[in-house]
Amino acid sequence: MQDNITLYDYNHCPYCVRVHMLFKRKNITPKIITLAYDDAKTPTEIYGKKTLPFIIKSDNSILGESLDIINYLDNIDNNSILSDKNLTEEINSALRELRPNANKLYKPRMMQTDIADFSTQGAKDYYENKFSK
């Protein structure tokens, strides 16, 4: 099994969470690098834009977009558990339905958590300014 994978993520990101879920389900242990939310430099230098999650695979190629990462991980061992069941659309549909209410519940509380995403005042300010509009 390929365990030489590096995952760049945020703890508060639902797209990152679903990638974590498949890593766990496939029993793959990536190196995890959690970025501060206002760190635009790191993902832009590595991936070309401030978007997480993305992974660096064992061959040093980079793969972003959570569904693409999930598809890659699901087929990494030729033992797919999701792809042939069309669960990715079910997951997306559920997220679309839940997101409006979930956002109202978790966004005001998010920065009160003790997670690396919001370890700096700049990250907190970036988050507040992004979602207060």
Side-chain angles (χ1 to χ4, degrees):
M1 180 79 59
Q2 292 186 6
D3 284 323
N4 191 16
I5 298 172
T6 301
L7 168 66
Y8 284 78
D9 77 343
Y10 298 126
N11 288 311
H12 76 278
C13 169
Y15 304 106
C16 298
V17 169
R18 64 182 172 187
V19 169
H20 275 274
M21 290 170 51
L22 199 56
F23 270 120
K24 185 72 169 177
R25 181 69 172 88
K26 297 296 266 188
N27 201 27
I28 300 170
T29 306
K31 176 181 177 184
I32 300 171
I33 299 175
T34 301
L35 299 179
Y37 195 57
D38 65 337
D39 181 355
K41 181 181 178 186
T42 301
T44 302
E45 286 179 351
I46 297 170
Y47 183 53
K49 56 186 171 179
K50 185 191 179 306
T51 302
L52 297 182
F54 66 84
I55 63 171
I56 300 177
K57 301 188 298 188
S58 58
D59 66 1
N60 288 322
S61 63
I62 299 170
L63 182 61
E65 304 301 330
S66 63
L67 291 178
D68 292 338
I69 296 169
I70 286 170
N71 185 55
Y72 169 76
L73 295 173
D74 192 30
N75 292 289
I76 200 168
D77 59 359
N78 296 315
N79 186 22
S80 172
I81 58 174
L82 297 176
S83 299
D84 60 348
K85 297 177 183 174
N86 198 26
L87 291 179
T88 54
E89 181 50 38
E90 289 178 31
I91 291 169
N92 277 336
S93 177
L95 282 173
R96 281 191 296 273
E97 290 178 29
L98 294 172
R99 187 170 293 122
N101 288 328
N103 286 348
K104 291 175 189 172
L105 291 170
Y106 82 79
K107 283 186 179 171
R109 296 169 176 85
M110 186 58 62
M111 288 183 301
Q112 296 175 15
T113 61
D114 184 25
I115 58 176
D117 310 23
F118 305 117
S119 60
T120 66
Q121 188 60 47
K124 292 174 183 177
D125 293 344
Y126 183 89
Y127 186 83
E128 283 184 344
N129 291 329
K130 182 174 182 176
F131 293 109
S132 66
K133 297 174 184 173

